[in-house]
Amino acid sequence: MTEEEKKRRPLVHHIRKQSASQSELPASQRRHSAGLSSRAQGERRGESSQNSPEPRQRRRVSFESNTGRPAPKDHRPIRAGSASAPTGTRSNEPRSQQRRPLSQRPRGNGRPISANNNVSDPLHRTHTHNPLPNQHPTTNQRNNHRSTNRPFNAQNSQNRNNNTHKPNAAQNGSGRFGGALASGNNSARNNTRRRNQTTPGTTGAHFVSGPARGTQRKSEPKGSKKAQRIAAATAARNRQNERKEQPLPQVLEYRLGMNVQDIAKIIHRDVAEILKKLFLLGVVVNQNQSLDSDTIELLAADYGIESKQKAEVDVADIDRFFNEDDNDIDPAKLVPRAPIVTIMGHVDHGKTTLLDYLRHTHVTAGEAGGITQHIGAYQARLHDRLITFLDTPGHEAFTEMRARGANITDITVLVVAADDGVMPQTIEAIHHAQAAKTPIIVAINKIDIPGVDPQNIVNELMEYDLVPEEYGGSTIEVPISAKTGENVDKLLEMILLQADVMELKSDPTAKARGSVIEARLDKGRGAVASLLIQQGTLKTGDPIVVGNTFGRVRTMNDASHHNIKSALPATPVEITGLNEVPQAGDHFVVMDSEKEARETGESRAKTAMEEERNNGTVVTLDTLFSTMAKQEMKTVSLIVKADVQGSVEALTSSLKKIKVEGVRVEIIHAGVGAINESDINLAEASGAIIIGFNVRPVGQAKSDAEQKHVDVRLYNVIYDAINEVESAMKGQLEPVYKEKNLGSVDVRQLFHFSKIGTIAGGMVTDGVITRDAKIRLVRDGVVVYDGVLASLKHEKDDAKEVKKGFELGLTIANFNDEKVGDVIEAYTMEEVKANA
Ligand SMILES: Nc1nc2c(ncn2[C@@H]2O[C@H](COP(=O)(O)OP(=O)(O)OP(=O)(O)O)[C@@H](O)[C@H]2O)c(=O)[nH]1
């Protein structure tokens, strides 16, 4: 016999004894002892209790009995020993007939769940009905088996619940004993209550609930705080058990800053278990403490699962919805969409005429009067296919949008008048389109004018890398007349062909997103914005974030001012319902809720304000080197403007030759003429620096440059320009200083001291003289000395500065030869930009 068995011997002994005494007892007494735990039996049985092992031992027995150890072979079931089987109550009926009707029996292979007790609980072998002993355990059985670490009485009660023997308490009198049992142990009582709560109306609940309730009412009023606490603790334990039974996830996706509680929820494990694991891994934390990624990964590895840090999503970053490689668009849902086209070209080459022609001849069906309202874009139709035209010709609208990162144009139509040829703005337009990487279709316009030769334009354009297909290039060139409409259909066909090549697609089922074409404040309607939908379907009522503002789409019109409820991708619409007026080129995105839209909009507005405050992200020659390092720039973009073509060529070729390791110069636009607003726009959109040679910014350009923080550098020596760009790229740009006059003093009196030297007394006639100023001593218009002050006094006191109209006394460092009538000019050197 092992030590264990020896220890258990009194138990077996006791059980046998008990069993024997039961059989000796009259039926009525047996009935009484039937519902008792060994302890309760002992107490009730008077004399036999004296022979029983002392209570502490019995308690231990009870506990051991619940450990799932198999019963000793010679141990026969105690048929009358369990509260769940008050066998003495059913007179002479065979046991099988005493069972509940079939319909009331618990499911599970048709056998009583209590069969499980035979396996797990040797002490409670009263439920010996196991007609199918070889069958697999039922779910309930498995669950019972799992819960073997419950206190004995709890287990006992549970088993009772599952037992097929659940006679009416009133019928069999078991209520008294069940009640005695239930009141004899808190766990049992709690368990009973839990069962009553979770399985109302079951026979099992009924069986124990009567007397248990009575007892409970006596000692613990229903709904008392204690009862509630117990119920809550029990429910929590149940939840934990349920969680425990869920499998571990394959991957633990975590965010930085998560604590043990957070992780416990994700991996369905107890907080205590995780804390213990961490402790064993050498990490002592409490459940609310944030864990670093190393600890989380270590923990995941210990559980044998992978760990992955969740990418933090910045809700304010709506640009993420426009990132082609990483957005939520499902490629399987993509369908072809209309191309979005911008018309560009030199002044008077016929852009507006072409747009007008299309508006009147190819507008969407049902628009009898054509486009009635200007919303910045409209759709033309050819063979039932739509083409969206941005309504504003020229570079500005185009670059405005690009400057805000809204690359909405798919195709650029470059209009070149056949009678005028390639002109400066034609070249600019080419550079704008090339910088935006949009394909160019050339419309050689005004072919109706007699004597014009479109071939000349073809030849001219080849200089700008626009080579038509017949010459081995890929540029589509169509001779048209915007006035007569000749070949305009062919131009549209070519646009559609190009669109097909580009496979322009969008997902109409996605949340709508796109860009603002125009926006304004309408007196009656508030903020009105023209939007171009790029993905998804926009609907009225949608909560929306537009740039740094937000709202809900209150009304929506199409280009012909029809009220519409929804709009598909590539459709231009005009909406109301925004809080503020957004800017052209801003992105818009539909959100899940108005709350989310508000939060995102407000957060964006705040960030924009902060950015505005620290405005320092633009590229300038002064900041070029640090910007290159910060943004890992590989190219430095320049726009070159000069007075003559020769200078343009000399400058561009020399600038391109600058060699600084890992960085190259890219001239995104070069041309003859003054620096204009278009240059500033292009520079802003592409982060370029403007190099002007013998030219100046004109009109709005100067103030635009200041407002948009575009760096404009002006030179009249080519070498200086090249030198400065090179120095800037190497981070060796010398700052430029300019003298700034502060004020001047007329010397009126002189005082000579052997120790101090000469003190010049005088009057400030202009501005201010400061102690740290540089000074220049001028005598009869000639600068006699240039130096700094050694001292400055007002009356007898040292002064930091003396203003106009006041007398002063001063000494000049290392100079004592002042004369009455000299003029002392004070000045400072200030760092200035070259474009001033
Ligand atoms: N003969 C002829 N004249 C044309 C054609 N297209 C435009 N024009 C004329 O050219 C002039 C300028 O045309 P617009 O359409 O205003 O040119 P634009 O490029 O829009 O000019 P800006 O808006 O100033 O940049 C107008 O007088 C038009 O009537 C054409 O195909 N044939």
Side-chain angles (χ1 to χ4, degrees), residues 346-353 445-446 448-449 481-483:
H346 193 68
V347 184
D348 278 352
H349 277 203
K351 302 177 292 288
T352 314
T353 310
N445 193 25
K446 305 195 187 183
D448 59 298
I449 295 176
S481 168
K483 200 173 184 177

Side-chain angles (χ1 to χ4, degrees), residues 3 27 35 50 54 103 135 150 153 177 183 196 259 328 373 432 443 462 482 533 579 586 591 638 659 692 720 741 790:
E3 273 308 301
Q50 283 162 19
E54 49 96 17
S103 59
Q135 279 195 1
R150 285 195 184 123
N153 280 326
F177 301 116
S183 61
N196 290 342
N259 58 28
D328 57 344
Q373 189 196 16
H432 279 262
M462 283 204 270
I533 302 158
N579 258 24
D586 277 347
M591 294 278 145
L638 300 177
K659 282 207 168 61
D720 285 349
N741 278 322

Side-chain angles (χ1 to χ4, degrees), residues 160-180:
R160 226 171 28 235
N161 188 26
N162 292 332
N163 202 344
T164 52
H165 285 276
K166 282 158 184 151
N168 188 309
Q171 256 183 352
N172 57 23
S174 64
R176 271 160 64 207
F177 301 116

Side-chain angles (χ1 to χ4, degrees), residues 250-540:
Q250 283 189 338
V251 180
L252 164 60
E253 269 198 86
Y254 69 92
R255 277 180 292 101
L256 277 185
M258 272 186 160
N259 58 28
V260 169
Q261 277 191 346
D262 300 327
I263 290 170
K265 277 181 202 150
I266 299 176
I267 65 170
H268 317 300
R269 288 296 177 273
D270 287 353
V271 168
E273 181 186 304
I274 296 175
L275 287 173
K276 188 174 158 193
K277 243 186 209 307
L278 286 173
F279 181 78
L280 294 174
L281 291 167
V283 183
V284 184
V285 284
N286 68 38
Q287 56 180 315
N288 300 316
Q289 231 167 303
S290 291
L291 303 179
D292 59 23
S293 56
D294 283 353
T295 308
I296 297 173
E297 282 169 19
L298 195 70
L299 182 71
D302 200 68
Y303 272 111
I305 56 176
E306 271 180 54
S307 51
K308 202 171 100 188
Q309 194 176 337
K310 261 189 201 168
E312 294 287 334
V313 177
D314 175 10
V315 284
D317 175 25
I318 61 169
D319 293 335
R320 71 185 190 275
F321 293 101
F322 295 83
N323 185 351
E324 272 177 30
D325 305 324
D326 182 30
N327 61 24
D328 57 344
I329 299 294
D330 179 358
K333 291 181 179 163
L334 291 176
V335 293
R337 66 161 170 85
I340 300 161
V341 180
T342 303
I343 295 183
M344 296 170 91
H346 193 68
V347 184
D348 278 352
H349 277 203
K351 302 177 292 288
T352 314
T353 310
L354 176 60
L355 278 165
D356 281 347
Y357 179 83
L358 292 168
R359 195 179 286 134
H360 290 111
T361 55
H362 291 77
V363 287
T364 320
E367 291 171 7
I371 303 294
T372 54
Q373 189 196 16
H374 175 85
I375 68 164
Y378 63 84
Q379 289 189 303
R381 187 180 289 270
L382 183 82
H383 312 314
D384 279 338
R385 284 185 68 182
L386 290 168
I387 302 170
T388 305
F389 283 96
L390 289 189
D391 209 0
T392 319
H395 325 317
E396 268 148 57
F398 183 80
T399 44
E400 266 291 305
M401 289 191 200
R402 284 221 315 116
R404 290 190 176 74
N407 261 336
I408 59 171
T409 304
D410 300 313
I411 297 164
T412 299
V413 169
L414 178 71
V415 177
V416 189
D419 64 336
D420 203 15
V422 173
M423 299 301 281
Q425 275 192 281
T426 314
I427 300 163
E428 271 180 23
I430 295 170
H431 291 148
H432 279 262
Q434 284 172 342
K437 297 190 173 64
T438 59
I440 297 171
I441 294 178
V442 179
I444 303 171
N445 193 25
K446 305 195 187 183
I447 56 162
D448 59 298
I449 295 176
V452 296
D453 185 3
Q455 188 56 41
N456 291 339
I457 311 297
V458 174
N459 295 341
E460 276 187 63
L461 286 172
M462 283 204 270
E463 273 184 47
Y464 302 93
D465 291 338
L466 296 179
V467 182
E469 282 166 337
E470 51 268 38
Y471 293 100
S474 60
T475 309
I476 301 170
E477 297 183 1
V478 188
I480 63 156
S481 168
K483 200 173 184 177
T484 65
E486 188 183 347
N487 264 354
V488 171
D489 274 12
K490 192 174 173 205
L491 176 68
L492 298 185
E493 272 168 23
M494 290 300 124
I495 291 171
L496 290 172
L497 186 72
Q498 179 67 50
D500 290 341
V501 171
M502 294 168 81
E503 294 187 2
L504 301 171
K505 288 182 175 174
S506 61
D507 173 9
T509 66
K511 271 186 274 172
R513 69 204 66 171
S515 301
V516 178
I517 312 166
E518 289 177 7
R520 65 180 196 281
L521 190 65
D522 185 288
K523 268 188 187 169
R525 298 194 294 160
V528 178
S530 296
L531 308 179
L532 187 64
I533 302 158
Q534 289 168 271
Q535 289 285 353
T537 302
L538 184 67
K539 296 185 269 304
T540 48

